[in-house]
Amino acid sequence: MKKKRQIALAVLSATVLVTMLISAGCAPKEEIVPAEEPLLVGRTLPLTGPYGETADLLNKGAKYWVERVNREGGLLGRPVKMILYDDAGSPDKQVSLLEKLITIDKVDFILGGYPTMGIQNQSPLAEKYGMVNISLGGSPTSFKEGFKYCFGLYQNAWGPVPMFDWIESTPEVRKDLKTMAILTMNNSIGLEARETCREWAEKMGIQVVVDDRYDLPLESADAMMAKVKASEADIFMSLSFFDDGVLQIRAAQLFDYQPKIFFQFIGASTPAFVEELGLVAEGTFSHAMACSDCSFPRLGEIHAYWKEHYDADAEYAPVYFMLGYLYPQILQIGIEGAGSYDQDAIRDYLKSHTITTVIGDITFRTDGWPNEVIAFNPQIINGNCVNVAQPEYGTPREPLYPHPEW
Amino acid sequence: MGYILTQSAIGGVVMGVAYGIMAGGYTMVWGAMRVINFAHAAFGVLAAYAVFYLLKVCGLDPLLSLVVVIPGLFALGVIMQELLIRPLANRARDITSASVVATLGVSILIENAMLYSFSPTPRFIATSYSLKSFSVLSLTIPATYLIVLGLGIISMGGLSFFLSRTRIGRGIRAVWQDEDGALLSGINPSLVNRIGYGIALATAGIGGVAMCLIQSFVASAQLSWMLLVWVIATFGGIGSVKGAVLGGIAIGVILNVGSVFIPRAYVTVIVYAIIIALLLIRPQGLFGNKASLR
């Protein structure tokens, strides 16, 4: 018995010793990383689900950025590899998958989530791990508690502002519009834009005659459209994503409701909107944080890439494709400007310099939001979503008014 | 206001008929076999996906796809009865409670299988008549509404006829009232249950076809559809097909007309409040009988 115990003790000691030696051999060393080892950039996107159309474009834009940056020598000499997980818009997955990217996949950088709710869910995690997090932004509450590492570009409340600005400054249109119907998806994106609609309606003396809210996914718009049709509102604000926006337009056609102005919040700027609706999409106003036909640096190359790889007939790349390129571009500018992969250095550089991007010059405030409102006024004209009535961004087209018959 | 209320009520009737078709088979199984099938609406959503892909890939009209959906769902119903319900009934002390848990599990399995296969992107059915409508006294009647009403009349009329005028239908009712007595009368409860379950899921399939004609759908909708089906079956009375249809219409009208006055997002609160009130006053539902409360 005593001998067996001694043998067991010897085996155990040897095992521990060997394990320690192996671990020592595997321990991370401070070595110079070979130049060819890629930098890992991680993100999650809702590629499936009600936000899939726009998320897919963001992904395509980011992939183009990866291709391009690697072709031009990488980031400070290292190539880039993107790791993407589909979070399907689920809050649980948005958080757990981002945590996986950071702690298990050990990505060097992250890109922000989508849409607004995804950003709100992921921002605390990015802050916890001290990782620069560049995203759409979406809501003033996206960066709660004074987050230092988060950068946003756009607030949902800004969406309808350029269109309302145009209405207010165009007397013959302004006097023609007396009533407004608002159908809003019941989440922070829709509700923030709704507040803007109500504020502007009050400011311009336009009566809000329908103001309804619905949960996503919207199964049928018929009941709400009956109310909108009865009101015969001059302006129809569809504060919706792609699928519910399409349902509402179809219901408007079915019920023969013809507004003078039709605004569809998110989705109208995607190619799928025109593909799904054809001529019915013509004249739809939307929102954009990027301008397709403005003359910002590298935009021409982005449009050319889109035409070559996705749609030879398109005049411009979709706005969300441009945005998909923009977020990693900002990260790239931060890395190259700081001359470092250090998160703090990148953050500090971005907050202390005006940077030039595909949507123009951006100066970030200390809270991570841009100094100026960045919002464009696109409308679907001849099947393309193009900038209208904003001369400060180039040569705008004349808006289509009133909305063409369905 | 009259226009809005009437138009909303029309939409509510049609939506209610679509739900009522699904609830008809569900309540039949609940009443006859004491089985609460929480996977019932999941099969309805599955049928909707079948319609979508048959239209997309083969160009088959949704109504013609019933030729595939009805026998397909019938077969699934028989399989479910044989592989799950019958073994449960033989082993479980309380088939009702056991069926809730088991079929809830099945519904989650089906939902996830659909999510994996078809993605969570909402789908809509677009046919040549999807945007066609008729004007009647300034009201708009979409063509799809008329089709759903027709489906409701035929399927529920057929189900009622089956239960009251056919041997197997009377057998189902006999088993419901007294299984031992039915057995003594020469009725084979196993065969009756198999056919009854097959028919129940076939009506779920017809309901799924009706639903996808008037609204978009997604795999996760199975839960919200199921809750409404369950509410309608309770409201109409367990085991009553007539109650299921009329209950469906009542709930549909409440939902649609209610949303004229309060935001759509909150109107389902009204429905559940009404159900609670009804159950306190008349627990057997509108057309159920007290025996169904056993």
Side-chain angles (χ1 to χ4, degrees):
Chain A
M1 192 62 139
K2 194 177 172 183
K3 198 169 179 185
K4 276 188 185 170
R5 203 180 293 155
Q6 282 173 340
I7 292 169
L9 200 58
V11 168
L12 183 64
S13 304
T15 308
V16 168
L17 189 62
V18 167
T19 308
M20 282 171 62
L21 285 170
I22 293 171
S23 301
C26 297
K29 298 169 198 166
E30 286 190 17
E31 300 259 355
I32 295 168
V33 177
E36 56 274 11
E37 191 166 315
L39 284 168
L40 298 178
V41 179
R43 81 184 314 179
T44 77
L45 282 174
L47 295 175
T48 50
Y51 320 116
E53 283 299 336
T54 38
D56 181 56
L57 290 169
L58 289 173
N59 184 35
K60 285 182 164 113
K63 278 169 144 175
Y64 168 50
W65 173 82
V66 170
E67 200 182 294
R68 184 185 198 151
V69 86
N70 285 337
R71 199 169 58 232
E72 292 174 356
L75 287 177
L76 299 181
R78 283 177 68 185
V80 171
K81 182 180 168 188
M82 190 156 296
I83 303 177
L84 167 71
Y85 291 126
D86 178 8
D87 60 42
S90 151
D92 293 340
K93 285 186 186 171
Q94 283 159 351
V95 172
S96 62
L97 289 171
L98 184 67
E99 185 122 44
K100 179 175 187 279
L101 282 165
I102 296 171
T103 58
I104 296 177
D105 297 321
K106 300 223 184 290
V107 295
D108 300 289
F109 299 102
I110 59 170
L111 290 173
Y114 178 80
T116 298
M117 293 76 74
I119 297 163
Q120 289 169 327
N121 292 334
Q122 292 185 338
S123 295
L125 206 55
E127 198 71 11
K128 172 182 159 188
Y129 288 104
M131 298 192 81
V132 168
N133 176 30
I134 298 160
S135 69
L136 183 63
S139 169
T141 57
S142 292
F143 311 153
K144 297 177 283 230
E145 300 158 36
F147 289 167
K148 298 188 180 56
Y149 291 88
C150 296
F151 294 83
L153 290 148
Y154 177 85
Q155 295 185 15
N156 301 311
W158 300 345
V161 170
M163 186 192 77
F164 286 134
D165 227 358
W166 164 70
I167 291 172
E168 195 187 34
S169 60
T170 314
E172 59 273 24
V173 172
R174 168 70 195 86
K175 69 174 188 255
D176 203 23
L177 303 171
K178 307 271 189 298
T179 51
M180 183 188 293
I182 311 172
L183 297 184
T184 311
M185 50 185 169
N186 200 23
N187 55 38
S188 55
I189 304 170
L191 293 174
E192 284 166 9
R194 172 181 170 270
E195 282 311 305
T196 300
C197 294
R198 293 192 67 91
E199 279 163 18
W200 276 85
E202 191 180 331
K203 188 175 157 189
M204 294 192 285
I206 293 174
Q207 188 190 1
V208 176
V209 289
V210 175
D211 185 4
D212 212 348
R213 273 163 276 164
Y214 59 89
D215 292 325
L216 287 178
L218 177 67
E219 290 174 334
S220 171
D222 289 4
M224 292 188 294
M225 194 50 60
K227 281 201 291 194
V228 176
K229 159 76 178 176
S231 74
E232 291 291 346
D234 297 320
I235 305 173
F236 175 29
M237 302 297 292
S238 170
L239 303 180
S240 53
F241 266 96
F242 177 85
D243 298 303
D244 40 322
V246 167
L247 272 179
Q248 287 171 33
I249 292 174
R250 287 204 171 132
Q253 279 184 275
L254 201 51
F255 285 83
D256 197 26
Y257 160 61
Q258 189 65 58
K260 292 176 185 166
I261 291 219
F262 173 58
F263 176 95
Q264 196 281 330
F265 195 18
I266 300 169
S269 54
T270 64
F273 194 78
V274 173
E275 279 163 30
E276 183 74 33
L277 295 167
L279 289 173
V280 168
E282 199 71 1
T284 304
F285 279 96
S286 189
H287 87 298
M289 329 69 150
C291 171
S292 305
D293 53 347
C294 297
S295 49
F296 295 128
R298 302 209 115 163
L299 256 190
E301 294 164 35
I302 289 177
H303 295 320
Y305 183 90
W306 176 263
K307 282 171 75 77
E308 186 190 334
H309 288 82
Y310 297 109
D311 185 357
D313 297 327
E315 202 174 335
Y316 305 106
V319 161
Y320 278 86
F321 181 81
M322 292 158 57
L323 292 172
Y325 180 92
L326 171 69
Y327 307 141
Q329 185 195 31
I330 294 174
L331 179 65
Q332 175 185 2
I333 292 170
I335 292 169
E336 289 171 352
S340 165
Y341 302 129
D342 179 69
Q343 303 284 342
D344 287 2
I346 296 165
R347 175 201 66 199
D348 294 342
Y349 180 86
L350 288 174
K351 286 189 179 178
S352 58
H353 291 78
T354 296
I355 61 175
T356 299
T357 72
V358 291
I359 67 164
D361 290 346
I362 303 174
T363 309
F364 286 108
R365 303 191 309 226
T366 50
D367 62 1
W369 290 104
N371 233 359
E372 292 171 352
V373 169
I374 304 169
F376 298 90
N377 185 27
Q379 188 183 26
I380 297 177
I381 297 179
N382 295 330
N384 284 296
C385 201
V386 293
N387 188 42
V388 294
Q390 282 179 299
E392 65 272 31
Y393 292 114
T395 310
R397 290 162 211 242
E398 272 302 305
L400 276 180
Y401 179 82
H403 191 279
E405 289 210 3
W406 299 121
Chain B
M1 180 56 81
Y3 162 79
I4 301 175
L5 289 176
T6 313
Q7 188 69 67
S8 300
I10 290 171
V13 165
V14 173
M15 184 178 75
V17 164
Y19 274 110
I21 296 171
M22 268 199 285
Y26 172 77
T27 198
M28 184 186 78
V29 160
W30 188 356
M33 297 168 220
R34 295 285 177 266
V35 168
I36 296 179
N37 178 13
F38 260 107
H40 191 83
F43 286 101
V45 176
L46 188 62
Y49 274 113
V51 168
F52 177 81
Y53 283 104
L54 285 168
L55 178 64
K56 187 176 173 183
V57 174
C58 312
L60 195 62
D61 185 85
L63 292 178
L64 291 176
S65 66
L66 285 167
V67 171
V68 174
V69 164
I70 292 175
L73 270 286
F74 181 93
L76 284 174
V78 171
I79 291 168
M80 192 164 165
Q81 155 66 13
E82 282 302 296
L83 295 182
L84 180 66
I85 306 299
R86 194 154 71 99
L88 261 183
N90 290 340
R91 292 182 178 92
R93 190 175 297 178
D94 175 8
I95 179 61
T96 304
S97 306
S99 64
V100 167
V101 175
T103 57
L104 193 58
V106 170
S107 75
I108 293 168
L109 274 171
I110 296 174
E111 179 182 332
N112 280 279
M114 289 191 291
L115 279 171
Y116 181 77
S117 307
F118 309 131
S119 93
T121 303
R123 307 287 182 192
F124 359 77
I125 302 292
T127 63
S128 56
Y129 47 84
S130 294
L131 292 176
K132 289 211 166 25
S133 60
F134 306 96
S135 271
V136 176
L137 301 172
S138 82
L139 296 167
T140 301
I141 314 288
T144 48
Y145 282 18
L146 298 174
I147 293 171
V148 168
L149 286 173
L151 272 176
I153 292 168
I154 294 169
S155 60
M156 291 299 101
L159 185 61
S160 291
F161 180 87
F162 168 79
L163 285 173
S164 57
R165 299 294 173 93
T166 65
R167 194 159 176 275
I168 294 197
R170 286 199 293 267
I172 288 174
R173 287 165 58 212
V175 166
W176 172 25
Q177 286 164 11
D178 184 344
E179 185 168 331
D180 292 334
L183 190 59
L184 288 170
S185 305
I187 294 171
N188 181 343
S190 294
L191 174 66
V192 154
N193 286 342
R194 256 180 250 139
I195 293 174
Y197 220 82
I199 289 173
L201 282 203
T203 63
I206 300 171
V209 173
M211 293 289 277
C212 74
L213 284 173
I214 56 172
Q215 60 184 45
S216 69
F217 61 93
V218 68
S220 54
Q222 66 90 12
L223 183 59
S224 60
W225 287 13
M226 190 62 237
L227 285 173
L228 268 181
V229 164
W230 174 80
V231 161
I232 288 165
T234 307
F235 187 85
I238 299 165
S240 169
V241 172
K242 176 173 74 175
V245 177
L246 293 176
I249 290 172
I251 299 290
V253 169
I254 292 170
L255 280 172
N256 264 28
V257 172
S259 66
V260 172
F261 301 102
I262 66 172
R264 182 84 186 176
Y266 309 131
V267 84
T268 42
V269 172
I270 299 175
V271 168
Y272 287 105
I274 291 173
I275 287 298
I276 292 169
L278 177 74
L279 288 176
L280 287 171
I281 300 164
R282 194 179 161 81
Q284 68 269 36
L286 290 179
F287 296 97
N289 55 48
K290 291 213 166 111
S292 64
L293 295 174
R294 298 198 306 267

